[in-house]
């Protein structure tokens, strides 16, 4: 095989965990082994060490580090270390090996993510414990202001959150750069068990607002999580008619996202006025549904008593409220905001 073709088979051997064949190909003192230490793969610039950690082959990882002398702190073009790879994929043995060989437990990759943050995207509690026991700081935040507790709330992992609260009781008290709390995030993503835990063990203020004035109740409603909306009403004194920064209620936000069940819940069960006006344009939920082209939601609103003749501040009825005459920025701001992670 030509010399220029050697790296690709080596990569495959590492990914498959074929330590026996890898030893046959490489010797610590030969020229190829020296080149392998600096070899990069793909656009991300991963090394063999990254791949061994990603695929969870601790014996291969040990050979690359101990026999070939590869640096446990080597990083790719995103500043991701092998420890990030092992933590994100839930490989505890690889995590422990790298930490024991001197890997920095709170090293940062692009966007300021630590290995602990990446571990919290999964439910592997043993990996999270290993990182914390080696000194990982649960309170560090990434560029968007999320700490590991916030990330675990998004993923819906109550057992991880309980552990984090035990080892770092103040980790719940955090906001992203746009002032979203873990409660906002759990409500938005429909993580009922997490919302229940947060309400039991944490101390979030009822109807806390992000920079757009959105409350956790609004997040639940506009994403169709009526069970969570009920929980927030019962255990967190949420207000079903709170206004966001534009003056829109949960009803209007639910109309934008065509959440018919949530609309029926608000109007039929909670008594919210189906013809309530929003923003300086005096828009009704019917205006929003028509603007978005949600025919079924329009029918739902009409069945609940929406006034088909209701006019906005510019004398436009809901059914005549087309994209050409609507205020596009208003509708855009009412859409669900996905977290930047």
């Amino acid at each position: 095989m030509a010399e220029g073709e050697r790296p690709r088979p080596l990569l495959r051997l590492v990914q498959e965990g074929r330590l026996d064949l890898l030893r046959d190909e490489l010797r610590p003192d030969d020229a190829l082994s020296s080149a392998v230490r600096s070899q990069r793969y793909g656009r991300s610039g991963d090394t063999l060490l990254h791949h061994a950690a990603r695929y969870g082959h601790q014996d291969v990882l040990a050979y690359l580090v101990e026999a070939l002398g590869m640096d446990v702190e080597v990083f790719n073009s995103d500043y991701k270390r092998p420890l990030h790879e092992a933590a994100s994929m839930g490989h505890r043995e690889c995590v422990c090996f790298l930490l024991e060989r001197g890997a920095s437990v709170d090293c940062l990759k692009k966007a300021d993510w630590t290995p602990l943050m990446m571990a919290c995207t999964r439910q592997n509690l043993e990996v999270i414990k290993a990182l914390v026991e080696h000194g990982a700081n649960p309170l560090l935040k990434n560029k968007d202001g999320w700490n590991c507790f916030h990330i675990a709330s998004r993923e819906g992992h109550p057992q991880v959150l309980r552990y984090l609260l035990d080892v770092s009781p103040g980790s719940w008290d955090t906001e992203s750069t746009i002032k979203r709390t873990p409660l906002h995030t759990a409500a938005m993503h429909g993580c009922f068990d997490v919302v229940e835990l947060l309400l039991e063990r944490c101390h979030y203020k009822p109807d806390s607002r992000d920079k757009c004035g959105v409350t956790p109740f609004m997040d639940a409603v506009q994403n169709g999580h009526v069970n969570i909306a009920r929980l927030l009403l019962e255990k967190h004194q949420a207000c079903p008619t709170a206004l966001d920064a534009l003056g829109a209620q949960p009803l209007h936000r639910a109309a934008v996202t065509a959440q018919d069940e949530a609309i029926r819940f608000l109007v039929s069960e909670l008594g919210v006025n189906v013809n309530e006006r929003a923003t300086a344009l005096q828009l009704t939920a019917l205006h929003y549904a028509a603007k978005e082209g949600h025919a079924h939601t329009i029918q739902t609103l009409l069945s609940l008593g929406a006034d088909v003749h209701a006019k906005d501040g510019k004398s436009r009825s809901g059914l005549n409220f087309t994209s050409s005459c609507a205020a596009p920025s208003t509708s855009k701001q009412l859409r669900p905001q996905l977290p930047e992670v």
Side-chain angles (χ1 to χ4, degrees):
M1 184 176 294
E3 183 176 349
E5 297 176 355
R6 291 290 292 276
R8 186 163 299 277
L10 291 178
L11 176 59
R12 197 156 53 236
L13 293 178
V14 168
Q15 292 173 338
E16 294 173 357
R18 300 300 304 273
L19 180 58
D20 52 344
L21 298 180
L22 194 64
R23 282 182 173 139
D24 291 341
E25 289 288 330
L26 298 174
R27 292 290 182 272
D29 56 351
D30 68 20
L32 179 59
S33 296
S34 177
V36 163
R37 284 193 288 270
S38 59
Q39 178 68 41
R40 303 284 178 159
Y41 299 87
R43 290 185 177 181
S44 60
D46 290 333
T47 66
L48 291 180
L49 209 59
H50 286 89
H51 286 276
R54 182 181 304 150
Y55 285 86
H57 301 309
Q58 192 269 335
D59 54 347
V60 174
L61 200 66
Y63 176 72
L64 294 174
V65 172
E66 296 171 350
L68 298 189
M70 293 191 72
D71 183 5
V72 296
E73 289 286 65
V74 64
F75 55 85
N76 66 11
S77 57
D78 291 328
Y79 298 99
K80 185 184 288 187
R81 272 75 168 176
L83 184 59
H84 286 105
E85 295 284 2
S88 68
M89 299 304 292
H91 300 310
R92 183 182 181 277
E93 288 186 357
C94 292
V95 166
C96 291
F97 171 81
L98 291 166
L99 290 171
E100 289 164 2
R101 294 305 185 279
S104 174
V105 71
D106 283 329
C107 53
L108 300 179
K109 79 169 191 71
K110 187 177 180 181
D112 295 338
W113 280 64
T114 67
L116 180 59
M117 292 175 192
M118 301 194 73
C120 285
T121 64
R122 294 179 176 266
Q123 295 196 54
N124 196 322
L125 186 57
E126 294 307 310
V127 170
I128 293 169
K129 287 181 177 179
L131 290 163
V132 171
E133 289 167 2
H134 279 82
N137 184 354
L139 300 180
L140 293 179
K141 293 185 175 185
N142 64 21
K143 75 174 183 65
D144 294 311
W146 287 47
N147 66 12
C148 59
F149 189 88
H150 207 150
I151 293 165
S153 295
R154 180 193 66 182
E155 300 299 328
H157 300 161
Q159 69 276 30
V160 172
L161 293 170
R162 291 190 187 95
Y163 172 74
L164 292 173
L165 287 172
D166 289 341
V167 298
S168 182
S171 58
W172 68 270
D173 190 11
T174 183
E175 292 180 342
S176 71
T177 55
I178 58 173
K179 299 185 69 63
R180 291 182 63 78
T181 66
L183 184 59
H184 280 93
T185 300
M188 176 182 179
H189 288 273
C191 304
F192 183 89
D193 292 343
V194 168
V195 171
E196 196 168 43
L197 173 65
L198 297 183
L199 295 181
E200 288 175 358
R201 293 195 55 178
C202 307
H203 306 287
Y204 297 108
K205 295 179 181 178
D207 290 329
S208 56
R209 299 169 186 273
D210 67 13
K211 280 192 174 180
C212 293
V214 176
T215 67
F217 182 85
M218 291 178 186
D219 273 321
V221 165
Q222 73 180 21
N223 287 283
H225 307 308
V226 175
N227 60 339
I228 290 177
R230 292 183 191 278
L231 186 63
L232 291 167
L233 286 172
E234 294 168 3
K235 296 188 176 181
H236 206 51
Q237 297 81 50
C239 177
T241 56
L243 302 180
D244 66 13
L246 295 174
Q249 293 187 10
L251 173 66
H252 304 108
R253 303 184 72 93
V256 170
T257 55
Q259 298 297 340
D260 292 16
E261 182 188 358
I263 290 171
R264 284 190 287 268
F265 166 66
L266 291 168
V267 176
S268 297
E269 295 190 36
L270 302 184
V272 173
N273 181 3
V274 72
N275 292 308
E276 189 66 52
R277 306 284 182 157
T279 79
L281 291 175
Q282 294 294 291
L283 304 174
T284 66
L286 193 61
H287 285 93
Y288 284 112
K291 161 65 175 66
E292 298 297 326
H294 299 320
H296 193 272
T297 300
I298 291 171
Q299 293 300 322
T300 297
L301 289 165
L302 292 174
S303 72
L304 293 169
D307 183 359
V308 70
H309 301 297
K311 302 290 177 53
D312 70 359
K314 294 185 178 181
S315 298
R316 298 169 295 188
S317 69
L319 296 184
N320 292 327
F321 198 70
T322 64
S323 59
S324 61
C325 66
S329 60
T330 300
S331 178
K332 183 178 181 181
Q333 291 181 62
L334 284 172
R335 293 180 184 276
Q337 298 170 347
L338 296 176
E340 299 176 8
V341 294

